[in-house]
Amino acid sequence: MGRRKPGTYPYDYTPGDDRRFVDSGVGGTLRVLHGPGRGMGMTEGVVCRVEVLDGDGALLDEAEAGTLGKEHRLRGTVPGDRVEVTVSAHHESDAESELTTRTVVLTGDLADVVRFGVGPGWDQVAGADAGELPRGPASPTPQLWGAGVRLRGARPG
C-alpha cells in the first residue's frame, strides 16, 4: 500500500499512519472538527474546548479550536479502555457554550468511528467529515456553526 497525500478527503490520515497506529498499542485517536467549511478545520468564529478523561477521571488529553489539525493518538490508552470525551463550544458572538459529553470504549480498530458535537451546523460538519455531504466554501456563522470530535478506534460506551 503506497502513501497518499495527507489531508485526503474524507479522512486526514494515510495507510502508513494506520500501520504505525496498529503497532503503537494506543486504543484510539481523536480529531477535533469545526465548520462548516471546505477544510473542516475552520476555526474562524468557533470557540471550542475538548477534554478526554480516563475511567478514573484523570485528564488524558485536552484541545482547543485549531490545536489538533491532525488525528491525535490518545496516549496512555489501550483497547478496552473507557474514556469520557467532553466538547464545549460556541460561536464567538455568543458567550454561552453548548456542552456534550459521551463515554466511548476504545477498540483499537480504526474502522470503528464515533462522531459527536454541538452547534446548529454540527450535522453538516459530521456529514462532510464522513464523506456523506460535499465540503462547501462556507464559513461558520452565528446561525450555522458546529464543533465536535471524530474518534477512530472507538464505539459508543
Side-chain angles (χ1 to χ4, degrees):
M1 224 188 221
R3 189 150 168 96
R4 64 187 154 144
K5 183 179 175 187
T8 303
Y9 176 82
Y11 298 110
D12 194 17
Y13 63 91
T14 66
D17 294 331
D18 284 350
R19 284 193 299 277
R20 285 187 293 279
F21 174 80
V22 169
D23 295 335
S24 73
V26 173
T29 68
L30 171 100
R31 174 153 185 193
V32 178
L33 305 171
H34 303 93
R38 187 174 303 282
M40 288 305 124
M42 294 294 296
T43 58
E44 179 183 321
V46 179
V47 178
C48 177
R49 181 165 177 75
V50 176
E51 289 186 346
V52 182
L53 305 177
D54 68 12
D56 297 327
L59 184 66
L60 285 173
D61 204 345
E62 60 185 332
E64 293 183 12
T67 60
L68 289 183
K70 266 194 87 133
E71 290 205 42
H72 186 121
R73 292 180 183 173
L74 293 175
R75 301 201 186 278
T77 65
V78 296
D81 284 353
R82 284 184 179 274
V83 297
E84 185 176 276
V85 182
T86 301
V87 175
S88 174
H90 63 273
H91 191 272
E92 67 185 3
S93 65
D94 183 9
E96 191 170 324
S97 287
E98 293 186 33
L99 178 74
T100 186
T101 299
R102 300 269 172 90
T103 299
V104 299
V105 176
L106 300 178
T107 66
D109 180 354
L110 295 178
D112 296 334
V113 178
V114 173
R115 289 176 186 84
F116 68 93
V118 297
W122 170 247
D123 290 340
Q124 284 185 277
V125 175
D129 182 64
E132 298 164 356
L133 296 173
R135 293 182 185 205
S139 292
T141 67
Q143 296 77 30
L144 186 64
W145 63 272
V149 294
R150 176 201 325 133
L151 292 145
R152 293 179 60 228
R155 62 178 168 78

